[in-house]
Amino acid sequence: MNQDLSNIRQDYQFQELNIQDCPNNPFDLFDTWFQVVLDSNILEKNAMVLSTVDADNQPHSRTVLLKQITKTGFCFFTNYASPKSIQLLQNPKASLLFFWKEFEQQIRITGTAVKLSNEVNQAYFSSRPRDSQLAAMVSKQSQFLSSNTQLNLEFETLKESYSNDTNLVCPNHWGGFEIQPESFEFWQGRPNRLHHRVFYQMDPQKKTWLKTLKYP
């Protein structure tokens, strides 16, 4: 396939991002942007790209779903035996990317992953639909699978074996991580590629956020 992609472009002109209007705490600006997204009709509002690095320094990216926002970070849930979890346990440095094309906005976050407690994991696990709970229990995430038929058979077998159990217990191999930010970058698309970028960096000594502008 040999296609010319050079003429594919979009001229952004939704709104401006002025540093003087940005709060001192980037969590507050994230909340403002995210609330607009939540109030919209776009799909997968809480989707974010999680990037990790393996033992060979090879980056890996995949889309996960943001499930909780705390005062200290952003939480998602997964299989603790999955490649992403193994990579985070070996090297907790990670990045998140939110991209909402409908609003011509992007947020990049870098930080450190912290494993969530069993209590938090169980609370979220219990809030999931029962079939989603069973799917988390049966999945050997990212391991090779002989066929989708085999997966469905394992799921139905597990479902039958737990048919009399009202409350399912979160398995040890499943739970969450919190990405605790060290930097935020808010990107607002603008005409002529003169995009607006506001960057926040945590000052580890003063425990305060420093904000500045970046060239597009």
Side-chain angles (χ1 to χ4, degrees):
M1 183 174 69
N2 185 15
Q3 296 185 9
D4 182 8
L5 307 179
S6 61
N7 289 322
I8 298 178
R9 56 176 52 88
Q10 173 69 38
D11 198 24
Y12 302 107
Q13 47 192 333
F14 190 77
Q15 63 184 20
E16 296 184 354
L17 177 61
N18 297 309
I19 193 170
Q20 61 268 26
D21 297 327
C22 295
N24 292 327
N25 190 327
F27 280 91
D28 294 335
L29 184 53
F30 182 94
D31 287 344
T32 299
W33 281 22
F34 194 43
Q35 189 58 56
V36 174
V37 172
L38 292 178
D39 291 340
S40 73
N41 294 321
I42 68 175
L43 298 176
E44 301 293 8
K45 304 171 185 182
N46 57 330
M48 59 185 185
V49 176
L50 167 70
S51 296
T52 57
V53 177
D54 66 20
D56 295 322
N57 292 322
Q58 174 64 53
H60 299 265
S61 297
R62 77 289 286 166
T63 302
V64 298
L65 296 179
L66 174 66
K67 287 300 181 179
Q68 294 178 2
I69 305 174
T70 72
K71 293 181 179 180
T72 55
F74 302 86
C75 304
F76 68 95
F77 293 84
T78 186
N79 187 309
Y80 281 142
S82 67
K84 73 174 80 66
S85 295
I86 293 171
Q87 290 157 17
L88 288 174
L89 293 172
Q90 291 175 340
N91 178 1
K93 294 297 184 181
S95 70
L96 300 175
L97 171 66
F98 296 86
F99 177 56
W100 301 302
K101 66 181 186 302
E102 294 83 359
F103 300 100
E104 301 171 354
Q105 291 177 332
Q106 175 176 273
I107 303 175
R108 297 169 58 206
I109 297 170
T110 64
T112 302
V114 176
K115 202 174 180 181
L116 296 178
S117 69
N118 293 335
E119 292 76 17
V120 172
N121 290 341
Q122 181 62 59
Y124 176 70
F125 185 81
S126 298
S127 73
R128 289 162 60 96
R130 185 177 178 84
D131 280 358
S132 294
Q133 294 176 341
L134 292 166
M137 295 169 66
V138 78
S139 175
K140 306 175 184 66
Q141 192 174 96
S142 295
Q143 293 188 29
F144 290 108
L145 177 67
S146 60
S147 68
N148 290 327
T149 300
Q150 177 64 26
L151 176 61
N152 292 334
L153 177 61
E154 292 178 6
F155 177 79
E156 293 301 329
T157 300
L158 186 71
K159 189 173 184 178
E160 177 62 26
S161 66
Y162 282 95
S163 60
N164 294 324
D165 292 313
T166 303
N167 298 315
L168 299 179
V169 177
C170 179
N172 292 331
H173 68 259
W174 192 91
F177 288 94
E178 178 180 84
I179 306 299
Q180 298 180 349
E182 297 163 4
S183 75
F184 287 75
E185 182 186 294
F186 295 83
W187 178 96
Q188 179 68 61
R190 296 295 298 151
N192 304 314
R193 295 295 186 266
L194 297 176
H195 309 307
H196 292 173
R197 296 169 67 187
V198 175
F199 181 72
Y200 289 81
Q201 181 75 49
M202 171 58 72
D203 184 330
Q205 301 298 324
K206 298 180 180 179
K207 300 297 182 183
T208 57
W209 291 99
L210 306 175
K211 64 178 177 178
T212 187
L213 290 174
K214 282 188 174 183
Y215 277 96

